[in-house]
Amino acid sequence: QYGIVLDAGSTHTSLFVYKWPSGKENNTGVVGQMFSCTVKGPGISAYVNDTAAAGESLRSCMDSAVAQLPGKKCKSTPVYLGATAGMRLLRKQNPSVSDAILRAVSSVLHSYPLSFRGARILSGQEEGAFSWTTANYLLSNFITYDWFGHWLRPVSAVTVGALDLGGASTQISFVPAETIEVPGDAVRFRLYGYNYTVYTHSYLCYGKDQALKQLLAQLVKDNPKVTSLDNPCYPRGYRVNVTMGGIFGSPCTEQGRPGGSSPGHSLLFVGTGQPHSCQENVQRIFNLTFCSHSHCSFNGVYQPDLTGNFLAFSAFYYTMKFLNLTDPSQKYSADQVNETIWKFCSLSWEETRTLDPTQQEDTLANYCSVANYIYTLLTKGYKFNETSWTNVAFQKQAGETQLGWALGYMLNLTNTMPAEISSSSFSLQIAIISILSTIAILSFVACLCIQLQIRDNGYMPL
């Protein structure tokens, strides 16, 4: 069987085709990713002036996806589109335009000989919860196969947390050791007969791209009357012009727009490459002091104490990958990561450009800002310390399947990961455990008899 999910993010849309064996009990065959495609152009939320183009942009990847499917399976293949924080922001700004974009993409997807199941905007909580589901499903933390190809619950049954960083929002999701104080941050799952209570919180405006806008807005706020500003997070010698609309045209920054400024007015930002000043500027976009709960992350948001291991993916992974900090055989401490960021942020623009000439200039110029933002978010925001930092693995995928909310979303909607599993499977699990226990006992008794026989014959064992 097959399923298609389109992840319509704030900066781009990704398409995933999933495959699993048919005929499995309760539809519970192992699901894996068989194909992926990145849609050319920006995310669908960028098509505010041509909503029809948002739908048309999907055709190339959809054509490729259909070509992957056996013809007889097309009509039964479900297709889902989920839009995330970029569309959540657009819905706040202009609900009618966001609705028009959803209609446009729905129209195009409906034209394919597949089973289109709808296009909708996910909540931040859904995005975080389904990312957690994906990570733990791929790591076989919910259930796994036994020697005979039947389902078994892992002995430890320990789950991992999920850290996701997109363009417009970031999510943290994990099963805490304590009771969750804020009911709105708790998501309850029943999977394969077991209950899970997951803490998950999504921070709109704290995705990578919106955080960069907040950093520039902070500099403008400090110097509202000038047209040329130093940016300590840009490489030394880097210069770029940015319009006021490019900085303050987002709901995340519009409140800080200087009075009387025109959206088309341009500001010159000059990089000074000062790591210490950069980190100080980054910290200012977080409120790290206010908290009305037993403990908080930032901006007064409740967060339980961190527990267990975490997978950090999406922009978390790509940034650490660029800095060569994703080797799975290494355990990088928080201090080592910080030191690497400082060294990189001290480079001149000419030195920075030589590191990867294939990347776009604005991407290279922003790596220092993003790296400092990630470090601050994880250490000051989410409260990872020197000990718990080593529990975070920066990964793009698990096995051959990309991490993120898409797989978890499809598993939920197709009931491929059911709330219950048949009693026959559990009976088999108990039977196997009983057989293995019996074999162990018989082996012990046999060894004991041999030892007694050796002793009775007057021989000492070597």
Side-chain angles (χ1 to χ4, degrees), residues 90-124:
L90 180 59
R91 184 169 56 187
K92 290 178 66 173
Q93 274 188 311
N94 197 327
S96 62
V97 173
S98 68
D99 288 344
I101 288 174
L102 288 179
R103 287 194 299 271
V105 298
S106 296
S107 176
V108 168
L109 295 177
H110 217 293
S111 69
Y112 284 86
L114 305 165
S115 179
F116 176 56
R117 305 287 180 86
R120 55 182 289 262
I121 300 174
L122 273 66
S123 69

PDB file of all heavy atoms in Angstrom, residues 90-124:
ATOM      1  N   LEU A  90       0.033  33.537   7.769  1.00  0.00           N
ATOM      2  CA  LEU A  90      -0.764  34.181   6.723  1.00  0.00           C
ATOM      3  C   LEU A  90      -2.238  34.224   7.118  1.00  0.00           C
ATOM      4  O   LEU A  90      -2.934  35.211   6.854  1.00  0.00           O
ATOM      5  CB  LEU A  90      -0.591  33.439   5.391  1.00  0.00           C
ATOM      6  CG  LEU A  90      -1.380  34.012   4.207  1.00  0.00           C
ATOM      7  CD1 LEU A  90      -0.992  35.459   3.928  1.00  0.00           C
ATOM      8  CD2 LEU A  90      -1.181  33.155   2.959  1.00  0.00           C
ATOM      9  N   ARG A  91      -2.713  33.169   7.766  1.00  0.00           N
ATOM     10  CA  ARG A  91      -4.110  33.150   8.205  1.00  0.00           C
ATOM     11  C   ARG A  91      -4.392  34.260   9.210  1.00  0.00           C
ATOM     12  O   ARG A  91      -5.475  34.833   9.226  1.00  0.00           O
ATOM     13  CB  ARG A  91      -4.435  31.780   8.807  1.00  0.00           C
ATOM     14  CG  ARG A  91      -5.900  31.609   9.214  1.00  0.00           C
ATOM     15  CD  ARG A  91      -6.210  30.165   9.552  1.00  0.00           C
ATOM     16  NE  ARG A  91      -5.333  29.658  10.596  1.00  0.00           N
ATOM     17  CZ  ARG A  91      -5.320  28.375  10.981  1.00  0.00           C
ATOM     18  NH1 ARG A  91      -6.105  27.485  10.388  1.00  0.00           N
ATOM     19  NH2 ARG A  91      -4.496  27.982  11.945  1.00  0.00           N
ATOM     20  N   LYS A  92      -3.376  34.585  10.045  1.00  0.00           N
ATOM     21  CA  LYS A  92      -3.533  35.702  10.983  1.00  0.00           C
ATOM     22  C   LYS A  92      -3.583  37.032  10.243  1.00  0.00           C
ATOM     23  O   LYS A  92      -4.334  37.931  10.613  1.00  0.00           O
ATOM     24  CB  LYS A  92      -2.366  35.713  11.984  1.00  0.00           C
ATOM     25  CG  LYS A  92      -2.363  34.572  12.980  1.00  0.00           C
ATOM     26  CD  LYS A  92      -1.165  34.630  13.894  1.00  0.00           C
ATOM     27  CE  LYS A  92      -1.201  35.851  14.808  1.00  0.00           C
ATOM     28  NZ  LYS A  92      -0.114  35.829  15.809  1.00  0.00           N
ATOM     29  N   GLN A  93      -2.773  37.152   9.194  1.00  0.00           N
ATOM     30  CA  GLN A  93      -2.700  38.401   8.438  1.00  0.00           C
ATOM     31  C   GLN A  93      -3.871  38.581   7.496  1.00  0.00           C
ATOM     32  O   GLN A  93      -4.463  39.659   7.417  1.00  0.00           O
ATOM     33  CB  GLN A  93      -1.393  38.431   7.625  1.00  0.00           C
ATOM     34  CG  GLN A  93      -0.191  38.960   8.358  1.00  0.00           C
ATOM     35  CD  GLN A  93       0.989  39.119   7.410  1.00  0.00           C
ATOM     36  OE1 GLN A  93       1.323  38.206   6.652  1.00  0.00           O
ATOM     37  NE2 GLN A  93       1.632  40.268   7.463  1.00  0.00           N
ATOM     38  N   ASN A  94      -4.184  37.505   6.759  1.00  0.00           N
ATOM     39  CA  ASN A  94      -5.189  37.614   5.696  1.00  0.00           C
ATOM     40  C   ASN A  94      -5.897  36.271   5.516  1.00  0.00           C
ATOM     41  O   ASN A  94      -5.522  35.473   4.653  1.00  0.00           O
ATOM     42  CB  ASN A  94      -4.514  38.043   4.390  1.00  0.00           C
ATOM     43  CG  ASN A  94      -5.507  38.571   3.376  1.00  0.00           C
ATOM     44  OD1 ASN A  94      -6.647  38.121   3.319  1.00  0.00           O
ATOM     45  ND2 ASN A  94      -5.074  39.518   2.557  1.00  0.00           N
ATOM     46  N   PRO A  95      -6.930  36.009   6.305  1.00  0.00           N
ATOM     47  CA  PRO A  95      -7.622  34.711   6.241  1.00  0.00           C
ATOM     48  C   PRO A  95      -8.179  34.377   4.863  1.00  0.00           C
ATOM     49  O   PRO A  95      -8.163  33.210   4.452  1.00  0.00           O
ATOM     50  CB  PRO A  95      -8.748  34.864   7.271  1.00  0.00           C
ATOM     51  CG  PRO A  95      -8.306  35.962   8.177  1.00  0.00           C
ATOM     52  CD  PRO A  95      -7.495  36.896   7.337  1.00  0.00           C
ATOM     53  N   SER A  96      -8.683  35.371   4.149  1.00  0.00           N
ATOM     54  CA  SER A  96      -9.287  35.097   2.842  1.00  0.00           C
ATOM     55  C   SER A  96      -8.242  34.612   1.842  1.00  0.00           C
ATOM     56  O   SER A  96      -8.519  33.724   1.023  1.00  0.00           O
ATOM     57  CB  SER A  96      -9.994  36.340   2.304  1.00  0.00           C
ATOM     58  OG  SER A  96      -9.077  37.408   2.115  1.00  0.00           O
ATOM     59  N   VAL A  97      -7.028  35.167   1.912  1.00  0.00           N
ATOM     60  CA  VAL A  97      -5.968  34.734   1.000  1.00  0.00           C
ATOM     61  C   VAL A  97      -5.488  33.329   1.360  1.00  0.00           C
ATOM     62  O   VAL A  97      -5.252  32.493   0.481  1.00  0.00           O
ATOM     63  CB  VAL A  97      -4.785  35.730   1.024  1.00  0.00           C
ATOM     64  CG1 VAL A  97      -3.609  35.189   0.219  1.00  0.00           C
ATOM     65  CG2 VAL A  97      -5.219  37.074   0.457  1.00  0.00           C
ATOM     66  N   SER A  98      -5.353  33.050   2.633  1.00  0.00           N
ATOM     67  CA  SER A  98      -4.917  31.700   3.031  1.00  0.00           C
ATOM     68  C   SER A  98      -5.957  30.664   2.599  1.00  0.00           C
ATOM     69  O   SER A  98      -5.599  29.566   2.141  1.00  0.00           O
ATOM     70  CB  SER A  98      -4.671  31.631   4.536  1.00  0.00           C
ATOM     71  OG  SER A  98      -5.862  31.762   5.273  1.00  0.00           O
ATOM     72  N   ASP A  99      -7.239  31.003   2.696  1.00  0.00           N
ATOM     73  CA  ASP A  99      -8.294  30.096   2.237  1.00  0.00           C
ATOM     74  C   ASP A  99      -8.208  29.891   0.730  1.00  0.00           C
ATOM     75  O   ASP A  99      -8.406  28.770   0.228  1.00  0.00           O
ATOM     76  CB  ASP A  99      -9.674  30.647   2.606  1.00  0.00           C
ATOM     77  CG  ASP A  99      -9.967  30.567   4.093  1.00  0.00           C
ATOM     78  OD1 ASP A  99      -9.244  29.823   4.799  1.00  0.00           O
ATOM     79  OD2 ASP A  99     -10.915  31.243   4.544  1.00  0.00           O
ATOM     80  N   ALA A 100      -7.922  30.960   0.006  1.00  0.00           N
ATOM     81  CA  ALA A 100      -7.816  30.859  -1.461  1.00  0.00           C
ATOM     82  C   ALA A 100      -6.655  29.969  -1.866  1.00  0.00           C
ATOM     83  O   ALA A 100      -6.750  29.191  -2.835  1.00  0.00           O
ATOM     84  CB  ALA A 100      -7.662  32.257  -2.065  1.00  0.00           C
ATOM     85  N   ILE A 101      -5.563  30.052  -1.136  1.00  0.00           N
ATOM     86  CA  ILE A 101      -4.406  29.203  -1.440  1.00  0.00           C
ATOM     87  C   ILE A 101      -4.739  27.742  -1.183  1.00  0.00           C
ATOM     88  O   ILE A 101      -4.401  26.852  -1.982  1.00  0.00           O
ATOM     89  CB  ILE A 101      -3.180  29.647  -0.607  1.00  0.00           C
ATOM     90  CG1 ILE A 101      -2.647  30.979  -1.131  1.00  0.00           C
ATOM     91  CG2 ILE A 101      -2.086  28.583  -0.649  1.00  0.00           C
ATOM     92  CD1 ILE A 101      -1.534  31.570  -0.299  1.00  0.00           C
ATOM     93  N   LEU A 102      -5.422  27.456  -0.086  1.00  0.00           N
ATOM     94  CA  LEU A 102      -5.823  26.073   0.195  1.00  0.00           C
ATOM     95  C   LEU A 102      -6.770  25.543  -0.874  1.00  0.00           C
ATOM     96  O   LEU A 102      -6.683  24.369  -1.271  1.00  0.00           O
ATOM     97  CB  LEU A 102      -6.470  25.981   1.572  1.00  0.00           C
ATOM     98  CG  LEU A 102      -5.543  26.136   2.778  1.00  0.00           C
ATOM     99  CD1 LEU A 102      -6.342  26.045   4.066  1.00  0.00           C
ATOM    100  CD2 LEU A 102      -4.441  25.079   2.770  1.00  0.00           C
ATOM    101  N   ARG A 103      -7.668  26.389  -1.371  1.00  0.00           N
ATOM    102  CA  ARG A 103      -8.562  25.958  -2.447  1.00  0.00           C
ATOM    103  C   ARG A 103      -7.774  25.659  -3.718  1.00  0.00           C
ATOM    104  O   ARG A 103      -8.062  24.696  -4.439  1.00  0.00           O
ATOM    105  CB  ARG A 103      -9.620  27.027  -2.725  1.00  0.00           C
ATOM    106  CG  ARG A 103     -10.701  27.125  -1.648  1.00  0.00           C
ATOM    107  CD  ARG A 103     -11.895  27.939  -2.146  1.00  0.00           C
ATOM    108  NE  ARG A 103     -11.532  29.313  -2.479  1.00  0.00           N
ATOM    109  CZ  ARG A 103     -11.555  30.321  -1.617  1.00  0.00           C
ATOM    110  NH1 ARG A 103     -11.897  30.107  -0.347  1.00  0.00           N
ATOM    111  NH2 ARG A 103     -11.226  31.540  -1.996  1.00  0.00           N
ATOM    112  N   ALA A 104      -6.760  26.487  -3.991  1.00  0.00           N
ATOM    113  CA  ALA A 104      -5.961  26.307  -5.205  1.00  0.00           C
ATOM    114  C   ALA A 104      -5.175  24.998  -5.172  1.00  0.00           C
ATOM    115  O   ALA A 104      -5.153  24.251  -6.164  1.00  0.00           O
ATOM    116  CB  ALA A 104      -5.019  27.491  -5.389  1.00  0.00           C
ATOM    117  N   VAL A 105      -4.537  24.717  -4.052  1.00  0.00           N
ATOM    118  CA  VAL A 105      -3.758  23.469  -3.975  1.00  0.00           C
ATOM    119  C   VAL A 105      -4.695  22.258  -3.957  1.00  0.00           C
ATOM    120  O   VAL A 105      -4.375  21.203  -4.533  1.00  0.00           O
ATOM    121  CB  VAL A 105      -2.817  23.468  -2.742  1.00  0.00           C
ATOM    122  CG1 VAL A 105      -1.799  24.590  -2.845  1.00  0.00           C
ATOM    123  CG2 VAL A 105      -3.580  23.541  -1.434  1.00  0.00           C
ATOM    124  N   SER A 106      -5.860  22.407  -3.336  1.00  0.00           N
ATOM    125  CA  SER A 106      -6.830  21.306  -3.314  1.00  0.00           C
ATOM    126  C   SER A 106      -7.324  20.988  -4.724  1.00  0.00           C
ATOM    127  O   SER A 106      -7.483  19.816  -5.095  1.00  0.00           O
ATOM    128  CB  SER A 106      -8.022  21.657  -2.417  1.00  0.00           C
ATOM    129  OG  SER A 106      -7.615  21.804  -1.072  1.00  0.00           O
ATOM    130  N   SER A 107      -7.559  22.025  -5.504  1.00  0.00           N
ATOM    131  CA  SER A 107      -8.040  21.833  -6.871  1.00  0.00           C
ATOM    132  C   SER A 107      -7.037  21.044  -7.707  1.00  0.00           C
ATOM    133  O   SER A 107      -7.406  20.114  -8.436  1.00  0.00           O
ATOM    134  CB  SER A 107      -8.314  23.194  -7.516  1.00  0.00           C
ATOM    135  OG  SER A 107      -8.693  23.034  -8.877  1.00  0.00           O
ATOM    136  N   VAL A 108      -5.764  21.395  -7.578  1.00  0.00           N
ATOM    137  CA  VAL A 108      -4.728  20.692  -8.341  1.00  0.00           C
ATOM    138  C   VAL A 108      -4.595  19.251  -7.861  1.00  0.00           C
ATOM    139  O   VAL A 108      -4.531  18.304  -8.662  1.00  0.00           O
ATOM    140  CB  VAL A 108      -3.377  21.433  -8.229  1.00  0.00           C
ATOM    141  CG1 VAL A 108      -2.245  20.564  -8.763  1.00  0.00           C
ATOM    142  CG2 VAL A 108      -3.437  22.747  -8.998  1.00  0.00           C
ATOM    143  N   LEU A 109      -4.552  19.038  -6.578  1.00  0.00           N
ATOM    144  CA  LEU A 109      -4.371  17.685  -6.048  1.00  0.00           C
ATOM    145  C   LEU A 109      -5.578  16.804  -6.376  1.00  0.00           C
ATOM    146  O   LEU A 109      -5.442  15.598  -6.580  1.00  0.00           O
ATOM    147  CB  LEU A 109      -4.140  17.748  -4.536  1.00  0.00           C
ATOM    148  CG  LEU A 109      -2.848  18.444  -4.097  1.00  0.00           C
ATOM    149  CD1 LEU A 109      -2.758  18.519  -2.576  1.00  0.00           C
ATOM    150  CD2 LEU A 109      -1.620  17.729  -4.659  1.00  0.00           C
ATOM    151  N   HIS A 110      -6.758  17.414  -6.431  1.00  0.00           N
ATOM    152  CA  HIS A 110      -7.971  16.663  -6.751  1.00  0.00           C
ATOM    153  C   HIS A 110      -7.974  16.190  -8.204  1.00  0.00           C
ATOM    154  O   HIS A 110      -8.705  15.250  -8.563  1.00  0.00           O
ATOM    155  CB  HIS A 110      -9.201  17.541  -6.485  1.00  0.00           C
ATOM    156  CG  HIS A 110     -10.365  16.788  -5.930  1.00  0.00           C
ATOM    157  ND1 HIS A 110     -11.048  15.844  -6.660  1.00  0.00           N
ATOM    158  CD2 HIS A 110     -10.959  16.825  -4.708  1.00  0.00           C
ATOM    159  CE1 HIS A 110     -12.031  15.336  -5.920  1.00  0.00           C
ATOM    160  NE2 HIS A 110     -11.996  15.915  -4.730  1.00  0.00           N
ATOM    161  N   SER A 111      -7.177  16.825  -9.046  1.00  0.00           N
ATOM    162  CA  SER A 111      -7.168  16.483 -10.465  1.00  0.00           C
ATOM    163  C   SER A 111      -6.390  15.207 -10.766  1.00  0.00           C
ATOM    164  O   SER A 111      -6.445  14.698 -11.888  1.00  0.00           O
ATOM    165  CB  SER A 111      -6.576  17.648 -11.269  1.00  0.00           C
ATOM    166  OG  SER A 111      -5.178  17.797 -11.011  1.00  0.00           O
ATOM    167  N   TYR A 112      -5.671  14.683  -9.790  1.00  0.00           N
ATOM    168  CA  TYR A 112      -4.878  13.470 -10.009  1.00  0.00           C
ATOM    169  C   TYR A 112      -5.717  12.228  -9.704  1.00  0.00           C
ATOM    170  O   TYR A 112      -6.642  12.274  -8.873  1.00  0.00           O
ATOM    171  CB  TYR A 112      -3.630  13.499  -9.135  1.00  0.00           C
ATOM    172  CG  TYR A 112      -2.565  14.432  -9.675  1.00  0.00           C
ATOM    173  CD1 TYR A 112      -2.581  15.788  -9.349  1.00  0.00           C
ATOM    174  CD2 TYR A 112      -1.580  13.972 -10.534  1.00  0.00           C
ATOM    175  CE1 TYR A 112      -1.624  16.657  -9.859  1.00  0.00           C
ATOM    176  CE2 TYR A 112      -0.618  14.833 -11.054  1.00  0.00           C
ATOM    177  CZ  TYR A 112      -0.650  16.170 -10.711  1.00  0.00           C
ATOM    178  OH  TYR A 112       0.293  17.025 -11.232  1.00  0.00           O
ATOM    179  N   PRO A 113      -5.404  11.102 -10.364  1.00  0.00           N
ATOM    180  CA  PRO A 113      -6.198   9.867 -10.173  1.00  0.00           C
ATOM    181  C   PRO A 113      -5.840   9.155  -8.859  1.00  0.00           C
ATOM    182  O   PRO A 113      -5.501   7.966  -8.845  1.00  0.00           O
ATOM    183  CB  PRO A 113      -5.796   9.031 -11.385  1.00  0.00           C
ATOM    184  CG  PRO A 113      -4.377   9.427 -11.648  1.00  0.00           C
ATOM    185  CD  PRO A 113      -4.330  10.915 -11.359  1.00  0.00           C
ATOM    186  N   LEU A 114      -5.900   9.902  -7.778  1.00  0.00           N
ATOM    187  CA  LEU A 114      -5.550   9.390  -6.465  1.00  0.00           C
ATOM    188  C   LEU A 114      -6.705   9.640  -5.504  1.00  0.00           C
ATOM    189  O   LEU A 114      -7.724  10.223  -5.883  1.00  0.00           O
ATOM    190  CB  LEU A 114      -4.275  10.091  -5.953  1.00  0.00           C
ATOM    191  CG  LEU A 114      -3.050  10.020  -6.866  1.00  0.00           C
ATOM    192  CD1 LEU A 114      -2.005  11.045  -6.444  1.00  0.00           C
ATOM    193  CD2 LEU A 114      -2.441   8.621  -6.844  1.00  0.00           C
ATOM    194  N   SER A 115      -6.563   9.236  -4.269  1.00  0.00           N
ATOM    195  CA  SER A 115      -7.608   9.461  -3.267  1.00  0.00           C
ATOM    196  C   SER A 115      -7.230  10.676  -2.421  1.00  0.00           C
ATOM    197  O   SER A 115      -6.648  10.549  -1.342  1.00  0.00           O
ATOM    198  CB  SER A 115      -7.766   8.214  -2.386  1.00  0.00           C
ATOM    199  OG  SER A 115      -8.758   8.415  -1.403  1.00  0.00           O
ATOM    200  N   PHE A 116      -7.560  11.870  -2.923  1.00  0.00           N
ATOM    201  CA  PHE A 116      -7.213  13.099  -2.211  1.00  0.00           C
ATOM    202  C   PHE A 116      -8.072  13.224  -0.955  1.00  0.00           C
ATOM    203  O   PHE A 116      -9.300  13.193  -1.011  1.00  0.00           O
ATOM    204  CB  PHE A 116      -7.422  14.309  -3.122  1.00  0.00           C
ATOM    205  CG  PHE A 116      -7.182  15.631  -2.445  1.00  0.00           C
ATOM    206  CD1 PHE A 116      -5.972  15.896  -1.821  1.00  0.00           C
ATOM    207  CD2 PHE A 116      -8.168  16.606  -2.435  1.00  0.00           C
ATOM    208  CE1 PHE A 116      -5.748  17.110  -1.195  1.00  0.00           C
ATOM    209  CE2 PHE A 116      -7.949  17.831  -1.816  1.00  0.00           C
ATOM    210  CZ  PHE A 116      -6.739  18.078  -1.192  1.00  0.00           C
ATOM    211  N   ARG A 117      -7.401  13.381   0.194  1.00  0.00           N
ATOM    212  CA  ARG A 117      -8.093  13.400   1.482  1.00  0.00           C
ATOM    213  C   ARG A 117      -8.141  14.786   2.124  1.00  0.00           C
ATOM    214  O   ARG A 117      -8.552  14.919   3.273  1.00  0.00           O
ATOM    215  CB  ARG A 117      -7.407  12.422   2.449  1.00  0.00           C
ATOM    216  CG  ARG A 117      -7.293  10.994   1.919  1.00  0.00           C
ATOM    217  CD  ARG A 117      -8.594  10.261   1.917  1.00  0.00           C
ATOM    218  NE  ARG A 117      -8.461   8.900   1.401  1.00  0.00           N
ATOM    219  CZ  ARG A 117      -8.121   7.840   2.131  1.00  0.00           C
ATOM    220  NH1 ARG A 117      -7.872   7.979   3.431  1.00  0.00           N
ATOM    221  NH2 ARG A 117      -8.042   6.647   1.574  1.00  0.00           N
ATOM    222  N   GLY A 118      -7.684  15.814   1.410  1.00  0.00           N
ATOM    223  CA  GLY A 118      -7.828  17.160   1.939  1.00  0.00           C
ATOM    224  C   GLY A 118      -6.520  17.897   2.170  1.00  0.00           C
ATOM    225  O   GLY A 118      -5.449  17.304   2.328  1.00  0.00           O
ATOM    226  N   ALA A 119      -6.627  19.240   2.182  1.00  0.00           N
ATOM    227  CA  ALA A 119      -5.513  20.142   2.479  1.00  0.00           C
ATOM    228  C   ALA A 119      -5.942  21.034   3.632  1.00  0.00           C
ATOM    229  O   ALA A 119      -7.018  21.642   3.584  1.00  0.00           O
ATOM    230  CB  ALA A 119      -5.151  20.983   1.261  1.00  0.00           C
ATOM    231  N   ARG A 120      -5.119  21.117   4.659  1.00  0.00           N
ATOM    232  CA  ARG A 120      -5.502  21.912   5.832  1.00  0.00           C
ATOM    233  C   ARG A 120      -4.257  22.476   6.504  1.00  0.00           C
ATOM    234  O   ARG A 120      -3.124  22.046   6.231  1.00  0.00           O
ATOM    235  CB  ARG A 120      -6.291  21.082   6.833  1.00  0.00           C
ATOM    236  CG  ARG A 120      -5.595  19.814   7.299  1.00  0.00           C
ATOM    237  CD  ARG A 120      -6.467  19.016   8.257  1.00  0.00           C
ATOM    238  NE  ARG A 120      -6.581  19.687   9.545  1.00  0.00           N
ATOM    239  CZ  ARG A 120      -5.848  19.372  10.614  1.00  0.00           C
ATOM    240  NH1 ARG A 120      -4.945  18.405  10.551  1.00  0.00           N
ATOM    241  NH2 ARG A 120      -6.011  20.016  11.740  1.00  0.00           N
ATOM    242  N   ILE A 121      -4.489  23.462   7.371  1.00  0.00           N
ATOM    243  CA  ILE A 121      -3.404  24.062   8.147  1.00  0.00           C
ATOM    244  C   ILE A 121      -3.322  23.333   9.486  1.00  0.00           C
ATOM    245  O   ILE A 121      -4.299  23.274  10.231  1.00  0.00           O
ATOM    246  CB  ILE A 121      -3.656  25.564   8.373  1.00  0.00           C
ATOM    247  CG1 ILE A 121      -3.741  26.292   7.024  1.00  0.00           C
ATOM    248  CG2 ILE A 121      -2.546  26.164   9.235  1.00  0.00           C
ATOM    249  CD1 ILE A 121      -4.137  27.756   7.139  1.00  0.00           C
ATOM    250  N   LEU A 122      -2.158  22.773   9.768  1.00  0.00           N
ATOM    251  CA  LEU A 122      -1.951  22.083  11.037  1.00  0.00           C
ATOM    252  C   LEU A 122      -1.738  23.084  12.157  1.00  0.00           C
ATOM    253  O   LEU A 122      -1.165  24.159  11.938  1.00  0.00           O
ATOM    254  CB  LEU A 122      -0.733  21.164  10.962  1.00  0.00           C
ATOM    255  CG  LEU A 122      -0.914  19.738  10.439  1.00  0.00           C
ATOM    256  CD1 LEU A 122      -1.317  19.743   8.973  1.00  0.00           C
ATOM    257  CD2 LEU A 122       0.361  18.932  10.629  1.00  0.00           C
ATOM    258  N   SER A 123      -2.167  22.733  13.339  1.00  0.00           N
ATOM    259  CA  SER A 123      -1.824  23.548  14.503  1.00  0.00           C
ATOM    260  C   SER A 123      -0.381  23.265  14.892  1.00  0.00           C
ATOM    261  O   SER A 123       0.196  22.235  14.510  1.00  0.00           O
ATOM    262  CB  SER A 123      -2.750  23.208  15.681  1.00  0.00           C
ATOM    263  OG  SER A 123      -2.476  21.902  16.168  1.00  0.00           O
ATOM    264  N   GLY A 124       0.209  24.160  15.654  1.00  0.00           N
ATOM    265  CA  GLY A 124       1.574  23.931  16.125  1.00  0.00           C
ATOM    266  C   GLY A 124       1.665  22.694  16.998  1.00  0.00           C
ATOM    267  O   GLY A 124       2.663  21.957  16.960  1.00  0.00           O
TER     268      GLY A 124
END
